[in-house]
Amino acid sequence: MCGIVGYIGARKALPVLIQGLEQLEYRGYDSAGVVCINPTNHSLFLAKEKGKLGQLKSVLNGVSLASTTGIAHTRWATHGAPSKANAHPHEDCKRRIALVHNGIIENYQEIKHKLLKKGHRFRSETDTEIAVHLIEEYYDGDVEQAFRKAVGELKGYFAFVVLSADEPGKLFVFKRSNPMVIGVGNGENFAASDVTAIIPYTRKVIYLEDDEFAVLERDSITISSRASHKPIRKTISEVKWSVDEAKKGGFPNFMLKEIYEQPRVAEETLAKRLKNGKVWFDTLDSKAEAHLKKIRKVFVVSCGTAYHAGLVGRYMLEEYAKVPTEVQVSSEFRYVDPLVTKEDLVILITQSGETADTIAALREARAKGACTLAIVNVVGSTIAREADYVIYTHAGPEIGVASTKAYIAQLLTFALFTIYLACLRKTVSAGFVASYLKEMRKLPKAITTILHREKLLEPPAKTLFKNKNFLFLGRGYNFPTALEGALKLKEISYAHAHGYAAGEMKHGPIALIDSTQPVICIAPFSKTYEKMVSNIQEIKARKAIVLSITTEGDKSVKQLSDWVFPIPKMSEIFSSILSVIPLQLFAYKISVKNHRDVDQPRNLAKSVTVE
Ligand code: M6R
């Protein structure tokens, strides 16, 4: 959470920083701020505002600064309410040093106490502000040394970018646990929380590792470790994402654009992974294969939407690869002392690769000696770098806070990995693999067909958008779809929505049903189709309002439902990839009709980098 960007070069810094914040705003939007070094008198120009970036932009409207060095921040509040005073950047007492921070300083209270005694004056309630005063405290003419000393005292996890009016030709960067990427330009350099802020200017990046410092000047980047102070040679990576992928491309918001990108994501995922009638992962070599062949059990660990992908993945792995699979949310896994052994595989699923609880779960699994495999979207992210093996989902940048195309990419990757593992473990026949992959190739077209039917959701959305309570029911592969449909709706519309396994209805939730209760039933053809029909009958008998996701050609569910949305006929395993798409669109429509901010729902951030 929180987005950081820093620039040093020959361009005017302010527009570069604001553009960077636009790309990073998905990381938090409680406040935004910027500080630039005035080149004539080497003073600091600071502007910050409560609320979304638009507020800051309107204050800066008409401001033209000659400055070519600056840092900026978009905040997701942890310590201290969203306010102008608590917005970053924070400055030292003399307003000569400024700093932006992503993370949490756990021992800030004791340090603040010490600094107050020494006469430092604080302007905010944040944990962050103590860091800049600590640098001031240690400063005796060398910012880097003071920064190093200050960081040495801090506990917690953080990414910082610091600048000082006394050393106007430098930016100072440090990373521990939270992401920080350095953009390598020509006569200019960048620092940012993720590459989307940098790619309009350069595709060459260096990923900082934990406990690394970087000093950026216009023409140089010096990276060193905290412990040894010695310069480290780092690899420069090339970012493949295009600038257009991180823009709205004519859509009113990122979420709708990303929903409509799903056929392409499916097409590209399959194209990358299918070779000569086999599933192939470029990152899994023969050593990985030998490892995977022998595993005893799989644990799938993730959060939110990625957790739902894990639930679907469990059904896939158990049905076809015949491997016992347990799915846990990362925040539970890391604290329950999980019974993971050296014979087990722990799969971490994450769009961002930076979710704090999933990082901790990965480290826990590694500490227990398990083999770890990350299914990640963001290339070079912490989880991708720390896991033993990685499979990238290649969905492209996902900017909307509500995850859509990344989920589809996760499900497809799981479906592919399942067959890959099943082949290694010899649990499926060659004939089965051929027909499975043949059917999978039909998915991009099937997703396009669904998107063409978007209008079918208009009448139910129009009728139900004021409702404050929704139930989502599904079974088997579509029980996680019910959870995901409910999560999508609640996070972007703020209505309460609950996903249930339909078989659980009679064990409690049926008490909620009356003529005002909307129930979304995910009921495509499956081995539990008849059971779903019975569940819908029971709901309808109690007069609920029913929107059902059905298979083309279905008659029974249609008769019982107020509205139906048919998806193309495919095997049950693939129905979960299709049936979630109308639910994404339904949530989107309800959100728009309620005038919610679809891309930036309240209280949320795209990447949850604090526990
Ligand atoms: O980046 P991750 O996939 O690790 O993020 C996990 C969740 O925070 C994320 O899926 C969240 O639930 C989404 N906002 C849901 O749309």
Side-chain angles (χ1 to χ4, degrees):
M1 340 226 10
C2 298
I4 291 178
V5 58
Y7 175 74
I8 185 158
R11 298 172 205 252
K12 285 192 174 176
L14 192 57
V16 176
L17 296 171
I18 296 296
Q19 191 178 25
L21 289 187
E22 278 166 3
Q23 297 305 323
L24 296 177
E25 207 183 3
Y26 72 86
R27 301 178 68 88
Y29 29 83
D30 288 332
S31 62
V34 59
V35 73
C36 292
I37 300 181
N38 190 328
T40 44
N41 62 2
H42 290 176
S43 63
L44 299 187
F45 169 88
L46 172 81
K48 49 191 191 176
E49 285 301 316
K50 179 183 169 187
K52 295 192 175 164
L53 180 60
Q55 298 296 117
L56 178 68
K57 283 208 261 184
S58 54
V59 168
L60 290 173
N61 196 9
V63 173
S64 170
L65 291 179
S67 171
T68 59
T69 307
I71 57 177
H73 186 269
T74 180
R75 178 171 188 243
W76 188 87
T78 58
H79 296 59
S83 70
K84 185 170 171 173
N86 290 334
H88 301 214
H90 291 285
E91 294 175 302
D92 69 328
C93 298
K94 299 188 205 77
R95 297 194 188 275
R96 301 293 292 165
I97 307 170
L99 161 153
V100 287
H101 167 220
N102 170 25
I104 288 180
I105 301 170
E106 287 168 350
N107 57 340
Y108 82 101
Q109 272 170 324
E110 68 186 69
I111 296 176
K112 187 169 182 176
H113 192 64
K114 198 173 81 182
L115 290 167
L116 279 169
K117 276 194 177 161
K118 290 188 179 252
H120 290 263
R121 296 179 316 280
F122 286 82
R123 304 179 186 98
S124 78
E125 305 153 314
T126 63
D127 53 340
T128 301
E129 197 186 349
I130 65 108
V132 73
H133 289 277
L134 201 55
I135 298 171
E136 178 182 30
E137 183 61 28
Y138 288 126
Y139 181 63
D140 62 359
D142 185 336
V143 178
E144 187 184 346
Q145 289 317 314
F147 186 29
R148 279 181 178 275
K149 276 190 190 161
V151 164
E153 274 190 38
L154 304 181
K155 291 192 183 136
Y157 29 100
F158 14 79
F160 290 116
V161 185
V162 176
L163 57 70
S164 164
D166 295 338
E167 291 188 50
K170 289 179 181 170
L171 291 183
F172 305 90
V173 185
F174 178 75
K175 169 198 151 46
R176 181 183 298 156
S177 291
N178 283 352
M180 181 56 70
V181 56
I182 306 296
V184 186
N186 199 354
E188 58 182 357
N189 289 308
F190 306 78
S193 301
D194 89 38
V195 294
T196 52
I198 292 174
I199 48 174
Y201 311 99
T202 178
R203 292 172 174 284
K204 290 186 185 149
V205 298
I206 296 171
Y207 296 103
L208 280 194
E209 298 294 337
D210 280 354
D211 279 310
E212 285 180 351
F213 282 98
V215 179
L216 311 190
E217 298 180 67
R218 267 187 184 199
D219 295 307
S220 70
I221 298 168
T222 313
I223 297 175
S224 57
S225 84
R226 191 175 77 83
S228 71
H229 292 223
K230 283 194 191 129
I232 305 171
R233 276 179 75 85
K234 301 278 291 185
T235 317
I236 297 181
S237 312
E238 184 91 13
V239 180
K240 299 275 182 338
W241 286 357
S242 79
V243 177
D244 288 345
E245 279 184 293
K247 292 195 175 143
K248 285 181 196 159
F251 284 89
N253 46 55
F254 282 109
M255 182 181 179
L256 195 61
K257 177 197 170 221
E258 287 159 6
I259 290 174
Y260 272 84
E261 278 176 342
Q262 292 178 120
R264 180 186 61 74
V265 169
E267 192 79 60
E268 286 177 8
T269 303
L270 294 171
K272 275 199 178 81
R273 303 300 180 204
L274 299 183
K275 291 231 158 64
N276 305 325
K278 279 190 178 152
V279 179
W280 178 81
F281 294 106
D282 50 345
T283 45
L284 301 184
D285 55 12
S286 50
K287 184 179 144 225
E289 287 192 358
H291 225 138
L292 293 170
K293 246 185 218 169
K294 293 189 301 212
I295 51 168
R296 180 192 70 107
K297 182 176 174 180
V298 174
F299 289 81
V300 186
V301 186
S302 43
C303 301
T305 288
Y307 168 68
H308 299 153
L311 292 174
V312 178
R314 175 199 153 194
Y315 289 123
M316 292 176 174
L317 288 171
E318 292 198 331
E319 183 165 6
Y320 297 107
K322 304 290 177 209
V323 57
T325 303
E326 192 176 319
V327 191
Q328 290 205 26
V329 287
S330 313
S331 52
E332 289 299 312
F333 180 86
R334 62 181 291 194
Y335 290 118
V336 294
D337 195 13
L339 296 176
V340 174
T341 69
K342 290 186 176 60
E343 284 84 53
D344 299 332
L345 171 69
V346 177
I347 302 181
L348 298 304
I349 317 170
T350 167
Q351 188 286 130
S352 62
E354 300 294 348
T355 300
D357 282 321
T358 310
I359 294 174
L362 163 66
R363 291 177 182 163
E364 174 76 18
R366 281 178 64 86
K368 288 185 182 297
C371 173
T372 55
L373 166 69
I375 298 180
V376 188
N377 195 40
V378 178
V379 176
S381 54
T382 303
I383 292 175
R385 283 180 287 120
E386 289 192 17
D388 296 309
Y389 304 108
V390 61
I391 297 176
Y392 284 114
T393 46
H394 295 299
E398 190 181 64
I399 311 287
V401 163
S403 187
T404 53
K405 64 173 181 171
Y407 181 66
I408 291 299
Q410 287 161 350
L411 295 185
L412 283 158
T413 303
F414 248 121
L416 291 162
F417 180 72
T418 297
I419 282 305
Y420 172 86
L421 196 61
C423 290
L424 284 180
R425 294 165 66 86
K426 300 196 185 356
T427 54
V428 287
S429 68
F432 173 81
V433 174
S435 68
Y436 181 99
L437 297 182
K438 188 171 170 206
E439 193 178 3
M440 262 198 109
R441 286 197 185 88
K442 295 183 184 155
L443 279 165
K445 200 161 162 237
I447 297 172
T448 306
T449 305
I450 290 173
L451 294 173
H452 285 158
R453 292 180 184 155
E454 184 193 331
K455 280 203 170 64
L456 290 180
L457 293 164
E458 218 25 61
K462 207 167 159 197
T463 310
L464 300 174
F465 77 97
K466 287 219 163 79
N467 236 286
K468 285 281 162 255
N469 268 299
F470 291 81
L471 269 179
F472 286 71
L473 300 179
R475 283 173 177 261
Y477 282 98
N478 281 298
F479 162 46
T481 312
L483 300 180
E484 176 59 10
L487 175 63
K488 278 302 79 100
L489 185 62
K490 72 185 131 199
E491 73 179 325
I492 59 168
S493 78
Y494 317 151
H496 176 252
H498 205 120
Y500 260 102
E504 280 288 292
M505 265 305 275
K506 293 195 273 292
H507 300 281
I510 201 160
L512 293 169
I513 305 289
D514 63 17
S515 61
T516 65
Q517 178 66 55
V519 186
I520 320 302
C521 299
I522 302 110
F525 292 156
S526 69
K527 47 181 175 295
T528 51
Y529 173 73
E530 276 77 25
K531 307 281 172 209
M532 266 315 281
V533 174
S534 305
N535 289 136
I536 301 172
Q537 258 158 352
E538 289 154 9
I539 297 159
K540 216 46 211 169
R542 287 157 183 87
K543 303 202 168 25
I545 311 162
V546 175
L547 162 64
S548 295
I549 311 301
T550 58
T551 307
E552 288 167 0
D554 160 280
K555 290 201 178 66
S556 310
V557 173
K558 191 172 179 186
Q559 270 178 4
L560 296 166
S561 308
D562 296 272
W563 307 276
V564 291
F565 188 104
I567 59 172
K569 190 171 174 189
M570 290 190 88
S571 303
E572 188 177 352
I573 181 170
F574 302 127
S575 72
S576 62
I577 300 175
L578 300 181
S579 59
V580 74
I581 294 165
L583 303 185
Q584 296 168 345
L585 287 165
F586 180 66
Y588 173 79
K589 284 177 184 294
I590 299 271
S591 173
V592 169
K593 287 184 193 311
N594 282 298
H595 308 289
R596 306 297 190 216
D597 188 334
V598 175
D599 283 340
Q600 297 179 343
R602 70 183 180 202
N603 304 336
L604 286 169
K606 180 74 182 161
S607 161
V608 183
T609 56
V610 291
E611 10 171 347

